[in-house]
Amino acid sequence: LEVENAEDDLVQKTEVAITLMKTVLENPEPIKNLNELAKAQLLYFSTAAEALSTVQGEIDELSVAAEGQYRSVQSPSFSNTPHSRRLESPATTEVPL
């Protein structure tokens, strides 16, 4: 009995879906509106992404400058920590051929 009810429900919903799809095909206006919405969202989000990219670049520059300024005002003992020392490249030895 439960399976028959589910089957009837499926048939009814399928008929409703077919009717709605026919309605959409008869009137192109909803599809045109959906297309316009997609274009507007594409423009909005591409503009937002461009603005965010610009701001992120500016924040990155400010971050580097702030870190440089912060490091320059630290005490000399801080500059001797292993994390702040520059690694020297090892000396190369020439091998005669």
Side-chain angles (χ1 to χ4, degrees), residues 51-96:
L52 184 59
S53 178
T54 300
V55 169
Q56 187 277 322
E58 292 171 1
I59 292 171
D60 188 49
E61 290 173 11
L62 291 171
S63 172
V64 169
E67 184 175 4
Q69 186 178 16
Y70 174 78
R71 300 281 181 215
S72 70
V73 297
Q74 293 299 311
S75 66
S77 62
F78 180 76
S79 63
N80 289 329
T81 62
H83 296 295
S84 64
R85 290 188 200 137
R86 293 180 64 178
L87 294 177
E88 300 293 328
S89 53
T92 56
T93 307
E94 289 188 27
V95 177

Side-chain angles (χ1 to χ4, degrees), residues 6-61:
E7 187 177 275
D8 290 342
D9 189 43
L10 174 64
V11 169
Q12 181 185 11
K13 289 182 179 178
T14 302
E15 289 172 356
V16 169
I18 289 171
T19 303
L20 291 172
M21 286 187 265
K22 284 181 181 178
T23 303
V24 167
L25 293 175
E26 291 170 358
N27 181 4
E29 204 61 35
I31 296 173
K32 288 169 60 177
N33 291 340
L34 182 61
N35 184 45
E36 290 302 315
L37 174 63
K39 288 194 307 188
Q41 286 185 327
L42 179 62
L43 177 62
Y44 172 82
F45 286 111
S46 64
T47 303
E50 186 177 318
L52 184 59
S53 178
T54 300
V55 169
Q56 187 277 322
E58 292 171 1
I59 292 171
D60 188 49
E61 290 173 11

